[in-house]
Amino acid sequence: ELVKLVERFWAYNSFCEEPVQEQLYIARIYQKRNLPTYWQSSMQKAQQNLAVSKQNIAAVDLHYCELQLELAIHESIEAKQRRDFEPNLQNVLSNLNTFYLVNILQYYCKAMNYKRFKPIDYQVPIIEEVLAHIAENRYENVPIINMYFYAIKSLLEPKDETHYKSLKDLLLKKGQHLYRKDAQNLFALARNYCIYQMNNRNVAYYYEIFNLYQIEIEQQLILRDGQMPPSTFQNIVTTGLMLKKYDWLENFIYDFSDYVTESMFYLTLSKLRLYQKRYKETIDLIDKANFAEILDKISARSILLQAYFELFLLEDESDDYDEKIENFLTSFSVFLNRHQDEIEIHYEYYAALIYFLNKIMKLIWQGNEAKSDIESLLLELKKTPKIKERKWITNKIKMILEKSH
């Protein structure tokens, strides 16, 4: 009995949190009781509530409420059984069409996005007809339909960049009027297109995705449920480092430090210091942190390894960095082997990093910097598909190659 009461309490609270639906429910009761004045009053309250809360309702819920309002008017007219009154059918049909389009586009986008992770053959029988209809009719009064349309077209026709540009243009013009989660989902779709282009070595899209992140931060869309998703935080930092936006990143990491774990803060800040060539500060930051997660521990070791190696190349005689690297490479390898089952696919990437650094160190220690040996190592690196910090390792080998001339 107590469980039933709690469930009813939850249901009632949820009902009260949706004032439009509450007023529509009341209006239908007044209609059944043949109290038109009270019906009219409830309908007005429902319309007013909807107008006030438009930006606080997801698009699918907003258009559902609008459809329900038109249906309530239709039912009221039909109940009077007067054939001289048009029963509001055009408004019902128009809103039903909008409600369907918003839903089918949104969930088709979700299905396409999920297919990136699992090859599921989702059946959407009339999606081609839907897209052709939108292309022909252009729903200018419902911007989110066009946004989802361009998002889908960018996924279906990734080589045509105009779809992405149209989506971004609409997000800039109309995005601030969208419900928060709708805007977040559409920005995520735009970023997915940028990632596709980046994976195809289109360098311009590093700037594009960085610009999207900046817009999301400015429009306060970057946080999800009051927290920064770790993958988003890392992606922003990685992109900023690649574009050498060091001052901007400094502010970003500190501004959002309260929305990520302490481990994430220290990892990203130490990575920034590494790129700024402030290697000793990099080491100090890693030493300060207490990394609990296994992948964070491995990332920290990778950053430390790079910092030690850079200091070794600088021929800093204040410390024995060559010995530190030698010991660290051994201990890092032992650590990886011990946790191989836990880290699965990551193991191969980090093991390759250790392997190539060992090769580089042997060339330097043995004084065997013959051009052919270094070129062979560079060729071996190109043939290795899985390796962490590929660009950094490549630059180190090329630097040794230049010195050997």
Side-chain angles (χ1 to χ4, degrees):
E1 289 300 318
L2 179 59
V3 170
K4 286 180 182 177
L5 284 171
V6 171
E7 288 173 345
R8 287 176 185 173
F9 174 73
W10 285 343
Y12 177 72
N13 272 2
S14 297
F15 180 73
C16 292
E17 287 171 2
E18 298 182 15
V20 177
Q21 294 298 330
E22 183 182 359
Q23 290 302 323
L24 279 169
Y25 186 81
I26 293 168
R28 284 192 167 98
I29 293 173
Y30 280 130
Q31 179 197 313
K32 287 179 182 178
R33 293 174 180 270
N34 196 25
L35 296 168
T37 303
Y38 293 102
W39 175 87
Q40 184 67 39
S41 174
S42 295
M43 288 294 291
Q44 285 176 351
K45 287 178 183 176
Q47 289 165 339
Q48 288 166 2
N49 284 327
L50 186 60
V52 168
S53 57
K54 269 191 174 182
Q55 277 187 261
N56 298 317
I57 303 176
V60 291
D61 297 326
L62 169 65
H63 293 293
Y64 176 75
C65 288
E66 290 179 342
L67 173 61
Q68 291 299 311
L69 279 165
E70 300 301 338
L71 279 170
I73 295 169
H74 162 71
E75 290 163 4
S76 174
I77 296 170
E78 202 170 52
K80 294 173 184 175
Q81 297 184 345
R82 290 188 56 179
R83 297 195 176 186
D84 55 330
F85 277 79
E86 195 281 314
N88 201 42
L89 285 173
Q90 184 56 62
N91 286 343
V92 169
L93 290 168
S94 296
N95 280 275
L96 182 61
N97 181 60
T98 302
F99 175 66
Y100 170 75
L101 289 177
V102 171
N103 272 272
I104 192 67
L105 294 173
Q106 178 177 314
Y107 285 97
Y108 186 64
C109 270
K110 284 188 175 183
M112 291 187 71
N113 198 42
Y114 190 73
K115 282 172 72 173
R116 295 187 305 130
F117 306 101
K118 286 190 177 180
I120 299 174
D121 185 21
Y122 291 105
Q123 298 299 310
V124 189
I126 61 169
I127 191 63
E128 290 182 10
E129 288 82 356
V130 167
L131 295 174
H133 168 77
I134 296 169
E136 186 177 341
N137 290 275
R138 298 293 176 188
Y139 285 78
E140 301 297 338
N141 59 328
V142 192
I144 197 165
I145 288 179
N146 287 322
M147 290 181 192
Y148 276 120
F149 169 77
Y150 288 123
I152 290 169
K153 294 293 280 185
S154 69
L155 292 169
L156 292 174
E157 303 168 8
K159 292 183 180 178
D160 186 347
E161 298 178 48
T162 59
H163 303 311
Y164 163 77
K165 290 174 182 176
S166 296
L167 171 60
K168 184 182 177 184
D169 186 54
L170 275 173
L171 282 170
L172 291 174
K173 290 178 181 176
K174 307 286 185 178
Q176 288 175 296
H177 302 294
L178 295 175
Y179 175 63
R180 178 181 175 81
K181 287 193 175 178
D182 286 335
Q184 288 175 324
N185 291 338
L186 283 158
F187 268 103
L189 288 166
R191 283 192 269 112
N192 285 345
Y193 180 79
C194 293
I195 292 167
Y196 165 84
Q197 291 288 354
M198 289 156 59
N199 289 339
N200 284 277
R201 300 185 180 182
N202 190 335
V203 178
Y205 277 86
Y206 284 104
Y207 293 91
E208 276 295 322
I209 199 168
F210 187 72
N211 183 232
L212 288 176
Y213 280 129
Q214 288 178 306
I215 295 166
E216 289 177 84
I217 291 168
E218 287 168 13
Q219 295 184 7
Q220 299 181 344
L221 297 171
I222 206 70
L223 297 181
R224 298 247 178 181
D225 299 321
Q227 290 295 312
M228 173 76 77
S231 59
T232 301
F233 194 80
Q234 282 185 307
N235 289 341
I236 292 172
V237 171
T238 301
T239 308
L241 290 172
M242 292 188 72
L243 298 177
K244 299 183 179 180
K245 304 285 186 180
Y246 301 148
D247 292 338
W248 185 92
L249 272 182
E250 182 93 19
N251 293 325
F252 167 76
I253 291 170
Y254 277 102
D255 287 346
F256 288 90
S257 59
D258 291 339
Y259 303 100
V260 294
T261 63
E262 184 183 84
S263 295
M264 183 63 67
F265 171 74
Y266 278 112
L267 275 175
T268 50
L269 188 59
S270 63
K271 192 78 171 177
L272 174 60
R273 295 289 178 262
L274 183 69
Y275 273 68
Q276 290 171 322
K277 301 182 178 180
R278 293 156 65 174
Y279 304 123
K280 291 186 178 180
E281 289 179 54
T282 302
I283 295 167
D284 290 341
L285 283 167
I286 295 293
D287 288 342
K288 280 182 185 178
N290 181 24
F291 301 106
E293 299 294 327
I294 185 66
L295 287 178
D296 289 345
K297 289 179 180 180
I298 294 171
S299 295
R301 280 168 167 77
S302 173
I303 293 168
L304 267 180
L305 187 57
Q306 291 173 77
Y308 285 143
F309 190 79
E310 294 290 357
L311 286 167
F312 166 69
L313 292 177
L314 289 172
E315 297 179 353
D316 187 340
E317 295 179 0
S318 62
D319 214 334
D320 297 324
Y321 287 109
D322 55 344
E323 188 176 338
K324 281 190 175 181
I325 292 169
E326 185 179 9
N327 294 333
F328 198 83
L329 284 168
T330 303
S331 64
F332 196 0
S333 184
V334 169
F335 183 84
L336 277 182
N337 291 329
R338 191 186 305 141
H339 297 280
Q340 184 173 354
D341 292 338
E342 295 174 63
I343 59 178
E344 296 177 346
I345 59 171
H346 300 279
Y347 174 83
E348 198 171 346
Y349 285 87
Y350 285 101
L353 170 65
I354 293 170
Y355 169 81
F356 278 97
L357 264 181
N358 268 315
K359 285 272 190 178
I360 292 170
M361 291 302 293
K362 283 178 182 176
L363 282 173
I364 296 171
W365 284 328
Q366 295 169 5
N368 182 14
E369 295 185 6
K371 183 179 177 182
S372 59
D373 293 332
I374 302 167
E375 286 178 342
S376 295
L377 188 60
L378 196 58
L379 183 61
E380 186 181 358
L381 176 62
K382 287 179 181 178
K383 292 179 179 179
T384 304
K386 298 176 182 179
I387 180 170
K388 198 73 177 172
E389 304 297 342
R390 177 183 295 278
K391 187 176 179 181
W392 180 77
I393 285 283
T394 303
N395 289 337
K396 298 303 115 182
I397 297 174
K398 285 181 177 178
M399 183 189 70
I400 298 170
L401 184 62
E402 288 174 8
K403 284 185 178 180
S404 69
H405 289 171

